[in-house]
Amino acid sequence: MEILFSLSIALFSGLLLSRLAKLLKLPAVTAYLIAGVLIGPFCLGAFGVEGLGFISLENVESFSIISDVALGFIAFSIGNEFRLTELKQIGKQATVIGILQAVFTTLVVDAALIGLHFLMPDKLPLPAAIILGAVASATAPAATLMVVKQYKAKGPVTQTLLPVVALDDAVGLILFAVSFGVAEAIIAGEISLVAIIVEPLLEVLISIVLGATMGLIFTFIERFFHSRSKRLAVSVAFVFLTVAISMLKFNIGGVHVAFSSLLSCMMLGTIFCNICDFSAELMDRLDRWTAPIYVLFFVLSGAELNLAVFKDYTVIIIGLVYIIFRCLGKYYGARLSADLTKADPNVRKYLGITLFPQAGVALGMAMKSMELGSIGSIVSNIVLFSVLIYEIVGPFLTKIALTKAGDIDPEKKSSNRIRHHDKTVPTTKI
């Protein structure tokens, strides 16, 4: 009973706060995150009433399956943006921007934090500074996608943004794996080429292969079902299955083998949208079905934010340096790479701002760094602090950037309701 009550409270709090956010002209995702903080273990949950709020971080983490599923659907939706017909126009441009801005951000943050390490070596060890540089490359696809969908953003910046965000996380995973291997080598006093080079490249490769294979099977099976409801059910089943398989971890010899659910589900969506001739209609229906899952995901993400990090002034100092230099890296990295590819003027000016949000992938990297003990705790605290700032401010800045770029029509309502004079809702077959 407590589980269902907690989930219902999470949904209601997110939805109610989104109404207030609309009056303040803030993105709904910001409202969901704030709602999570309010019903989390440091606010309402602190009263210890089970079901009324999340009474502990462990209580929030017990709902991690929802976050895993939500990230799978988000990656699947992003994969749907990699349509060959559209990529022929911006594919090379998005690829160059996606890779260069991620690498540039890592170098900028690494330089800033390594410099800070020499000023306060006891508070910020070198391995932690190196890992944080790689974490800085990751962007939050969930927050970005929600803003794009809520305001029905469409234009050059949005068209470039979605594939860049997808590539951003792929590059970020590689950079993190390499940086994590270097950090381990510094701590242990020995360098492992397997951990630094082989394992991250293998993770990316097998994740893409898994996603492509599942995409081919998915497209083949989908053709045997003709009603929209059954096709929707098959789609949900394949995202679930791909996320489940992506959780497998094992060792072959001395090599640790793991998958990235983000990359696998993204490739699942990419293969499906390019092979299946009715993918656009199905993706539209899937977006509506997943709306409550996305609300829960962001509310849970807000509840996971550990407000206790504000008690340590060193976390705040290092966190502010991390936030400032990551923003500079994202903005100028995107701007320089957009200039290099002769992108649209609005892409050059506003794309970097839309890459500020950071959450799921970065938090995943932070959890992975906990394997390094006290150094991992430092990384985790800095990332938690920055995510709290980024996820509340980031979506709002993304909305402003897309509006100024002309991708969001300020006069257009953001409601997802379908007006019957604009579109006829087809009758669903059962």
Side-chain angles (χ1 to χ4, degrees), residues 99-115 129-130 132-134 136-137 175 179 325-326 329:
I99 295 173
L100 291 185
Q101 60 82 24
V103 174
F104 185 82
T105 302
T106 294
L107 294 176
V108 168
V109 176
D110 265 340
L113 293 183
I114 289 173
I130 292 172
L132 283 167
S137 64
L175 291 172
S179 297
F325 281 90
R326 180 180 177 273

Side-chain angles (χ1 to χ4, degrees), residues 116-166:
L116 192 61
H117 156 72
F118 288 109
L119 294 176
M120 42 197 310
D122 295 335
K123 301 295 184 182
L124 181 62
L126 183 59
I130 292 172
I131 291 174
L132 283 167
V135 174
S137 64
T139 302
T144 302
L145 189 65
M146 284 290 283
V147 172
V148 169
K149 287 184 175 181
Q150 180 185 354
Y151 295 100
K152 301 178 177 65
K154 189 175 182 181
V157 179
T158 304
Q159 193 177 24
T160 307
L161 169 62
L162 294 175
V164 164
V165 168

Side-chain angles (χ1 to χ4, degrees), residues 17-85:
L17 221 60
S18 70
R19 301 307 299 169
L20 178 61
K22 189 173 183 179
L23 294 175
L24 298 174
K25 297 184 178 179
L26 293 172
V29 63
T30 301
Y32 302 149
L33 288 160
I34 294 174
V37 172
L38 292 177
I39 66 171
F42 297 94
C43 290
L44 192 60
F47 292 102
V49 181
E50 292 191 16
L52 186 59
F54 297 106
I55 60 175
S56 67
L57 289 174
E58 289 74 20
N59 184 209
V60 181
E61 290 167 3
S62 66
F63 296 95
S64 61
I65 185 66
I66 294 175
S67 298
D68 293 333
V69 168
L71 284 171
F73 280 112
I74 287 164
F76 182 67
S77 295
I78 291 176
N80 191 50
E81 301 299 325
F82 284 87
R83 294 180 181 273
L84 291 178
T85 52

Side-chain angles (χ1 to χ4, degrees), residues 81-256:
E81 301 299 325
F82 284 87
R83 294 180 181 273
L84 291 178
T85 52
E86 297 176 7
L87 285 178
K88 287 178 181 178
Q89 300 175 359
I90 61 163
K92 182 179 179 181
Q93 189 179 90
T95 301
V96 172
I97 295 173
I99 295 173
L100 291 185
Q101 60 82 24
V103 174
F104 185 82
T105 302
T106 294
L107 294 176
V108 168
V109 176
D110 265 340
L113 293 183
I114 289 173
L116 192 61
H117 156 72
F118 288 109
L119 294 176
M120 42 197 310
D122 295 335
K123 301 295 184 182
L124 181 62
L126 183 59
I130 292 172
I131 291 174
L132 283 167
V135 174
S137 64
T139 302
T144 302
L145 189 65
M146 284 290 283
V147 172
V148 169
K149 287 184 175 181
Q150 180 185 354
Y151 295 100
K152 301 178 177 65
K154 189 175 182 181
V157 179
T158 304
Q159 193 177 24
T160 307
L161 169 62
L162 294 175
V164 164
V165 168
L167 283 169
D168 183 87
D169 286 328
V171 175
L173 288 169
I174 297 174
L175 291 172
F176 175 77
V178 172
S179 297
F180 189 82
V182 171
E184 282 187 316
I186 292 173
I187 295 169
E190 58 182 23
I191 296 176
S192 170
L193 293 177
V194 171
I196 296 176
I197 299 175
V198 177
E199 289 182 357
L201 291 178
L202 183 62
E203 179 176 337
V204 172
L205 179 62
I206 63 175
S207 296
I208 290 174
V209 171
L210 171 63
T213 303
M214 296 299 290
L216 291 171
I217 299 172
F218 173 34
T219 306
F220 175 75
I221 292 178
E222 195 80 53
R223 297 181 185 279
F224 291 99
F225 299 91
H226 303 290
S227 72
R228 296 184 180 92
S229 59
K230 288 186 175 66
R231 283 176 171 174
L232 177 63
V234 173
S235 304
V236 172
F238 264 89
V239 174
F240 282 179
L241 183 58
T242 304
V243 171
I245 296 175
S246 299
M247 292 179 177
L248 293 175
K249 295 179 182 179
F250 49 90
N251 291 308
I252 299 178
V255 179
H256 179 68

